[in-house]
Amino acid sequence: MIANPDVPRKFRLLEELQNGEKGIGDGTVSYGLEDSEDMSLTNWNGTILGPYNTSFENRIYALKITCGPQYPKVAPVIRFVTKVNLPCVLANGAIDLNKFPVLKNWNQKNTLENILVGLKNEMNSAANKKLPQPPDGQTY
């Protein structure tokens, strides 16, 4: 867990990259740099495996994550690439900040993993777990 929120951006993102590569967590979310040569550590890919016993099950959801120059003080921009039906996802795949608590209540101690797990938890919530989903494989 990242303890000091005042760690410079690059060190913080390098730590997150290391955690993402190790597969820390339950294995149902993953994340890493879009381009391993990206020295700015700005553009990331994320993946969420749809939770068991939901309408998201047996699906892999791809996301794009952009960590701007003010990250972690300012939340990253998150957008689904894979089409998904969730109340917190806008028609273009972007996350609606006002409908997703992890981003709405952003704290610089939050991590990319926290965001992905939070989205997976949204999929698994009682209100969302049976929502009809677009045909598998569609993208924004």
Side-chain angles (χ1 to χ4, degrees):
M1 186 79 182
I2 297 167
N4 183 353
D6 295 323
V7 172
R9 176 186 181 275
K10 190 163 190 165
F11 292 140
R12 165 69 181 267
L13 286 169
L14 284 170
E15 185 175 354
E16 292 202 49
L17 178 61
Q18 184 178 28
N19 289 343
E21 288 176 342
K22 286 181 181 175
I24 291 175
D26 67 3
T28 60
V29 300
S30 63
Y31 55 96
L33 282 174
E34 184 175 283
D35 175 2
S36 62
E37 302 298 315
D38 177 9
M39 300 316 294
S40 70
L41 306 173
T42 298
N43 298 306
W44 297 67
N45 291 321
T47 304
I48 300 171
L49 300 179
Y52 175 73
N53 204 23
T54 70
S55 59
F56 306 93
E57 184 177 9
N58 294 324
R59 294 180 183 222
I60 299 172
Y61 293 91
L63 300 93
K64 295 285 183 191
I65 304 166
T66 304
C67 295
Q70 297 300 311
Y71 181 84
K73 291 179 181 176
V74 174
V77 175
I78 313 288
R79 185 179 66 80
F80 274 87
V81 174
T82 309
K83 279 200 173 183
V84 64
N85 178 21
L86 273 175
C88 65
V89 179
L90 300 171
N92 64 357
I95 304 300
D96 183 339
L97 301 179
N98 293 316
K99 293 184 179 178
F100 182 55
V102 176
L103 294 181
K104 181 179 182 179
N105 305 311
W106 182 255
N107 178 312
Q108 64 183 349
K109 291 180 183 177
N110 286 342
T111 64
L112 300 180
E113 183 177 348
N114 295 145
I115 296 166
L116 295 172
V117 169
L119 287 167
K120 183 186 79 170
N121 291 342
E122 287 290 315
M123 293 174 175
N124 209 22
S125 75
N128 299 331
K129 68 189 312 176
K130 298 299 180 190
L131 288 175
Q133 293 303 307
D136 199 15
Q138 288 191 351
T139 58
Y140 289 100

